[in-house]
Amino acid sequence: VQLQASGGGLVQAGGSLRLSCAASRRPFNGYTVSWFRQAPGKEREFVASIRYNDNTNYADSVKGRFTISRDNAKDTVYLQMDTLKPEDTAVYYCTAGPRGLETKYQGRGTLVTVSS
């Protein structure tokens, strides 16, 4: 599976962005897809995930502001990010994998910058 994250950019605090994670060579069917982020000088942290059965999970820091969803027909997972804060600034990565290996595949990240 090859993953490509896109949709990052510069946005003012309070604004919104939608990130996309597209799969190629193999569909996402049956895989958990997750978003992680890494801010400068910080460790990578979990943001959100969506399982094969559409169950979702979110980090406390983004609950109520971010929404993860999937479009199986397009082999794409989205991360809708609303009410963005400067502390959301980071490179965002998507990962995918089967149960027990949920982060087996990782794509190149996309940079999100939130200005105050």
Side-chain angles (χ1 to χ4, degrees):
V1 177
Q2 286 190 332
L3 305 176
Q4 179 64 53
S6 61
L10 174 64
V11 64
Q12 288 188 332
S16 298
L17 281 174
R18 188 178 78 160
L19 305 183
S20 300
C21 177
S24 61
R25 295 194 176 183
R26 188 205 184 278
F28 278 140
N29 291 351
Y31 279 12
T32 293
V33 179
S34 305
W35 285 96
F36 290 82
R37 66 187 181 186
Q38 187 164 19
K42 294 187 177 182
E43 293 188 354
R44 191 172 81 161
E45 64 173 350
F46 168 80
V47 176
S49 66
I50 184 165
R51 302 186 68 83
Y52 66 93
N53 57 4
D54 287 343
N55 283 349
T56 57
N57 190 29
Y58 297 92
D60 288 343
S61 60
V62 306
K63 276 182 182 176
R65 300 188 299 121
F66 291 11
T67 304
I68 190 170
S69 62
R70 68 196 307 159
D71 185 336
N72 289 328
K74 296 182 178 180
D75 281 327
T76 301
V77 169
Y78 302 100
L79 184 68
Q80 177 67 40
M81 306 186 297
D82 298 318
T83 319
L84 282 162
K85 304 175 181 180
E87 51 263 43
D88 294 319
T89 295
V91 175
Y92 285 70
Y93 302 87
C94 60
T95 67
R99 188 175 182 177
L101 291 170
E102 285 84 355
T103 59
K104 180 176 181 179
Y105 304 102
Q106 177 177 307
R108 298 176 68 177
T110 185
L111 175 63
V112 172
T113 303
V114 184
S115 62
S116 57

